[in-house]
Amino acid sequence: MSLLSVSDLSIEYATPQGYVRAVDRVSFDLDEGEVLGIAGESGCGKTTAALSLLRILPKSAKVKGSVMFNHEDVLTMEDSRLRQYRWKDVSLVPQSSMNAFDPVITIGAQILEAIRIHEKVEKSAAWDRAGDLLESVGINRNRLRHYPHEFSGGMRQRAAIAMALSLSPKVVILDEPTTALDVVTQRQILNLLRRLRSRLKVSFIFITHDLSILGELSDRIIVMYAGRIAEIGKTQRIVNSPSHPYTKALFSSVLPVQGPLPVVKPISGLPPNLASLPSGCRFHPRCPFAFERCSLEEPKLVKIDDDTEASCFLLER
Amino acid sequence: MGTDVILDISELGVDFSTPTGLFRRSRISAVDKVSIKINRGESVGFVGESGSGKTTIARCIVKLIEPTSGHILFNGQDIFEQNSAENKEYRKHVQMVFQDPYESLNPRSNISQIVEEPLIVHHISPDKESRRERVYELLSLVGLEKELVKRYPHELSGGQRQRVSIARALAVNPDVLVADEPVSMLDVSIRVGILNLLKELKKTLNLTFVFITHDLGVARYFCDRVAVIYRGQIMEVAGTEALISETRNPYTKLLLDSVPGNREAGEASAKDEAEWADGKRQFSDIPSGCRFNPRCPNAKEQCTKVPPPLEALGENHYVACHYPLRP
């Protein structure tokens, strides 16, 4: 059974150039204990889609479609329920959260605050829990009394993850959690997430522009392009034989350290301006396989196998 | 060789002083006795984690930091003993491309003004007309359309901004480009485009590159030779392919294993993580012996006592390790 179910989600922002659709008719499910990766270039709507699951988009955003959490409609939740839902049911590790700690408050006090806002617990009990949380992300509990600047970047990122876990949520959304980190620290965060997931039965939504990370961590991958889903499916399948030309292009721009150096090609051009989308398939101006139909009609998601869908005319039939 | 060497870094040391109490300050050695010769037309990568000192070395080369000890010779001349005319001349020869294209371009200047500024500062093109021509020429060199000249940095994508920084650096016809993580802030999909551009420029303009990165995949794609830096010291230097296929230093191996896609690496870095966990490791205390020994899976007694010298273990392959790995 799916824990979180998104269907036909569209999100528009009001801009001086009119309404801009950052997310367009996106549907997906998240199962219990699953790691779902969302990949795509900057400006493809990954973050907007994820933030809408928590209803923390700016007021100018118009959200259509439905987001169901355990059969409960998130988009019509009452404020009091929403406050519980955020953090207790679904929590977020926002982009560059390692720089989001208050510099003049100790890490422990910041985790404590998050716990006590949501639950009636004694200070000492909450403090103990904060210590356990730090230890669960591999940081000694005596660091609770330290200030953010005394932590390295990787440790702050771990602390941000600990904070997101503080109310034992069922889903944690991680927005580019390793992007600003060096490879060694990135490796540690990935190992940490893998351990947490097997221990806590928590689901992760992992947003990144780097597909090579998802290959290791996620069960399923959604590849987004210009607000739409280009391809969705099991990680193994997408990593080993990507179907959509955009997914292929994303993989071919990864620079490997081992094995023979393949011909690496950048994706020509840029993701389109959402205010003036190309006609037909949104990827066609950059697609090496584009033909006439691509500029006229918009492709729908087609089934490739039981778990995989992609939106490309070349895959039809 | 001799005349080929364009930058000769010898025994470079940089100490920073940081407050450790209200009135007390302690000295941290960020770079310690780094020596490397860089040949004309070569691209040398400095690879290491955050805080390894790789950026500090780069900043010394472009004279943003004065080293505490050691020398850097540019074409045989010590760059820290130049008079002001020589200094200005040096800055024409060596230019830098910074990591963050979102912060290294003045938001109030348009692209034309940004690329033109070095031409004015260095009195390269005296009249406006020739400067404009040169700006167009530079933009086309980095693959940007000249329609962009009136735009401001916030109107450009990350990749376009980084191209503008490159155009600005090239304005003075430098011999050496020092690139500090030039692609790490960019989407994976456009990194290759920037790297291909730099490769192309290297060939057509015969540029020498000092290339700072933490990503061995990027280093492999771009660099002829790589120096692996750990806590201010060179751990291993070799031709890029030799460094990757015949890794001799355990630290280099840790870096290689950390790259996404190497699942087994989970185990390799387990010890390393345990070390991190107690958070006792302080940046300021430098372990005795080999600096990597507390994290090294192969550390033995000698490693905790005697710092290993950088020794040749093959042709152009230098390693600082008492117990180098078998390739």
Side-chain angles (χ1 to χ4, degrees):
Chain A
M1 192 209 66
S2 60
L3 190 60
L4 199 64
S5 174
V6 174
S7 60
D8 248 346
L9 183 73
S10 294
I11 300 163
E12 292 181 344
Y13 288 113
T15 69
Q17 296 120 47
Y19 278 99
V20 161
R21 238 183 210 208
V23 174
D24 193 11
R25 289 161 286 157
V26 164
S27 304
F28 62 89
D29 290 328
L30 177 72
D31 288 334
E32 233 166 85
E34 187 185 31
V35 179
L36 176 68
I38 303 184
E41 290 163 281
S42 308
C44 281
K46 315 181 291 275
T47 300
T48 299
L51 295 186
S52 73
L53 306 180
L54 282 164
R55 277 179 58 191
I56 47 178
L57 290 172
K59 283 227 166 65
S60 68
K62 275 209 302 197
V63 182
K64 276 187 265 174
S66 87
V67 177
M68 304 293 279
F69 175 79
N70 258 342
H71 306 293
E72 201 181 345
D73 191 342
V74 175
L75 300 182
T76 58
M77 252 177 209
E78 299 274 329
D79 281 0
S80 57
R81 170 72 187 105
L82 194 59
R83 273 198 292 277
Q84 289 297 309
Y85 166 77
R86 291 177 184 155
W87 225 322
K88 275 200 98 159
D89 290 326
V90 181
S91 69
L92 173 72
V93 179
Q95 209 160 354
S96 52
S97 53
M98 51 187 225
N99 300 323
F101 284 103
D102 189 325
V104 296
I105 301 176
T106 61
I107 293 282
Q110 296 188 50
I111 300 179
L112 191 83
E113 187 186 9
I115 297 174
R116 296 195 70 209
I117 281 176
H118 287 86
E119 278 178 23
K120 283 205 174 77
V121 271
E122 284 300 310
K123 227 176 178 169
S124 60
W127 187 261
D128 281 346
R129 201 152 108 198
D132 295 344
L133 284 163
L134 271 199
E135 282 186 348
S136 74
V137 297
I139 300 175
N140 195 309
R141 64 196 312 138
N142 62 27
R143 304 279 290 192
L144 280 174
R145 293 191 188 280
H146 286 201
Y147 289 91
H149 75 268
E150 297 174 273
F151 280 43
S152 68
M155 285 169 80
R156 263 179 286 152
Q157 187 64 319
R158 285 153 184 265
I161 294 171
M163 210 159 150
L165 292 170
S166 60
L167 293 143
S168 326
K170 301 204 177 54
V171 181
V172 179
I173 300 170
L174 301 136
D175 192 359
E176 302 269 9
T178 63
T179 298
L181 305 173
D182 66 56
V183 271
V184 178
T185 319
Q186 169 171 292
R187 156 68 49 202
Q188 292 168 354
I189 299 286
L190 293 181
N191 289 351
L192 168 71
L193 292 174
R194 209 178 293 141
R195 277 200 309 272
L196 286 174
R197 168 219 186 164
S198 59
R199 218 181 52 222
L200 302 176
K201 278 175 71 183
V202 58
S203 309
F204 289 119
I205 295 180
F206 192 109
I207 302 170
T208 180
H209 65 91
D210 188 350
L211 265 174
S212 61
I213 296 174
L214 292 182
E216 268 192 38
L217 189 72
S218 61
D219 301 306
R220 281 191 306 143
I221 294 177
I222 295 178
V223 179
M224 283 188 73
Y225 186 74
R228 300 226 66 194
I229 292 182
E231 183 163 0
I232 176 169
K234 286 243 158 78
T235 301
Q236 281 312 314
R237 164 84 199 210
I238 289 189
V239 170
N240 297 332
S241 58
S243 309
H244 197 283
Y246 181 58
T247 318
K248 285 183 189 162
L250 279 183
F251 273 113
S252 70
S253 53
V254 171
L255 297 165
V257 238
Q258 254 125 13
L261 201 62
V263 186
V264 234
K265 274 186 291 185
I267 309 179
S268 60
L270 294 169
N273 178 352
L274 294 170
S276 54
L277 286 171
S279 63
C281 171
R282 294 172 185 194
F283 187 56
H284 89 261
R286 299 171 77 190
C287 182
F289 310 107
F291 54 102
E292 202 189 340
R293 189 176 168 200
C294 303
S295 60
L296 303 171
E297 276 175 68
E298 191 168 5
K300 291 194 180 65
L301 279 172
V302 289
K303 250 190 161 33
I304 291 167
D305 59 31
D306 284 350
D307 310 296
T308 319
E309 287 180 280
S311 61
C312 179
F313 292 125
L314 292 171
L315 302 165
E316 282 181 2
R317 261 183 321 135
Chain B
M1 294 239 311
T3 53
D4 276 332
V5 177
I6 186 161
L7 276 170
D8 182 353
I9 301 172
S10 61
E11 302 273 311
L12 191 75
V14 182
D15 290 354
F16 288 122
S17 117
T18 60
T20 47
L22 198 51
F23 299 108
R24 233 179 299 169
R25 299 181 77 79
S26 73
R27 296 188 81 73
I28 293 176
S29 120
V31 176
D32 188 35
K33 295 199 190 101
V34 165
S35 301
I36 186 168
K37 289 180 168 64
I38 296 169
N39 299 321
R40 190 180 292 277
E42 186 183 35
S43 53
V44 176
F46 286 91
V47 177
E49 287 165 275
S50 330
S52 60
K54 53 195 196 303
T55 296
T56 306
I57 298 171
R59 288 181 174 235
C60 285
I61 295 172
V62 293
K63 291 180 80 173
L64 287 172
I65 295 176
E66 281 250 352
T68 320
S69 58
H71 303 278
I72 297 179
L73 305 183
F74 174 74
N75 286 334
Q77 188 203 20
D78 192 327
I79 64 167
F80 296 104
E81 280 164 19
Q82 292 167 325
N83 61 34
S84 72
E86 286 165 340
N87 176 36
K88 203 164 177 190
E89 190 58 30
Y90 177 70
R91 286 176 197 273
K92 270 199 263 180
H93 291 297
V94 180
Q95 282 286 313
M96 186 152 181
V97 176
F98 293 91
Q99 175 172 15
D100 191 344
Y102 296 85
E103 289 185 353
S104 57
L105 301 177
N106 184 349
R108 287 160 183 255
S109 302
N110 66 31
I111 304 311
S112 161
Q113 289 164 331
I114 290 171
V115 179
E116 193 182 26
E117 194 172 359
L119 301 174
I120 301 170
V121 172
H122 288 284
H123 310 291
I124 290 175
S125 315
D127 65 297
K128 245 180 163 169
E129 196 52 41
S130 65
R131 278 205 300 269
R132 192 167 55 186
E133 281 307 306
R134 177 73 177 141
V135 169
Y136 286 154
E137 192 187 326
L138 287 162
L139 289 183
S140 88
L141 202 59
V142 298
L144 290 174
E145 282 156 23
K146 53 180 175 186
E147 285 70 45
L148 291 178
V149 288
K150 289 283 170 252
R151 301 279 194 87
Y152 286 83
H154 74 268
E155 298 175 90
L156 306 188
S157 69
Q160 287 175 321
R161 282 183 231 202
Q162 202 57 299
R163 285 172 196 263
V164 172
S165 327
I166 296 166
R168 175 177 63 183
L170 293 176
V172 294
N173 274 323
D175 301 313
V176 180
L177 268 194
V178 178
D180 185 6
E181 301 264 18
V183 296
S184 68
M185 300 289 287
L186 305 176
D187 267 11
V188 172
S189 57
I190 48 177
R191 285 184 187 170
V192 183
I194 298 288
L195 293 174
N196 285 347
L197 168 68
L198 293 176
K199 272 187 169 180
E200 179 75 32
L201 293 171
K202 176 177 175 252
K203 227 188 314 175
T204 52
L205 305 175
N206 193 26
L207 287 169
T208 306
F209 272 90
V210 175
F211 193 93
I212 313 290
T213 179
H214 68 263
D215 185 340
L216 274 163
V218 170
R220 181 186 183 200
Y221 191 68
F222 186 73
C223 301
D224 303 321
R225 208 146 57 98
V226 169
V228 176
I229 314 284
Y230 182 70
R231 298 198 74 171
Q233 292 182 331
I234 295 182
M235 305 299 277
E236 184 164 9
V237 193
T240 310
E241 285 306 318
L243 187 96
I244 287 167
S245 56
E246 294 156 38
T247 308
R248 308 298 303 265
N249 192 302
Y251 179 62
T252 313
K253 183 151 192 320
L254 173 71
L255 281 182
L256 282 169
D257 286 348
S258 299
V259 172
N262 289 339
R263 252 175 189 273
E264 306 79 56
E267 310 317 311
S269 60
K271 175 179 171 173
D272 190 39
E273 274 189 65
E275 165 74 19
W276 271 92
D278 40 332
K280 276 187 224 132
R281 200 192 306 161
Q282 281 288 321
F283 205 76
S284 46
D285 38 72
I286 286 184
S288 59
C290 171
R291 293 186 173 193
F292 184 57
N293 87 68
R295 295 172 70 183
C296 182
N298 312 342
K300 297 187 178 60
E301 206 193 334
Q302 197 191 4
C303 305
T304 62
K305 292 184 176 149
V306 188
L310 192 65
E311 285 173 330
L313 280 188
E315 205 188 337
N316 293 322
H317 198 143
Y318 297 86
V319 182
C321 183
H322 291 304
Y323 305 99
L325 305 168
R326 275 171 223 283

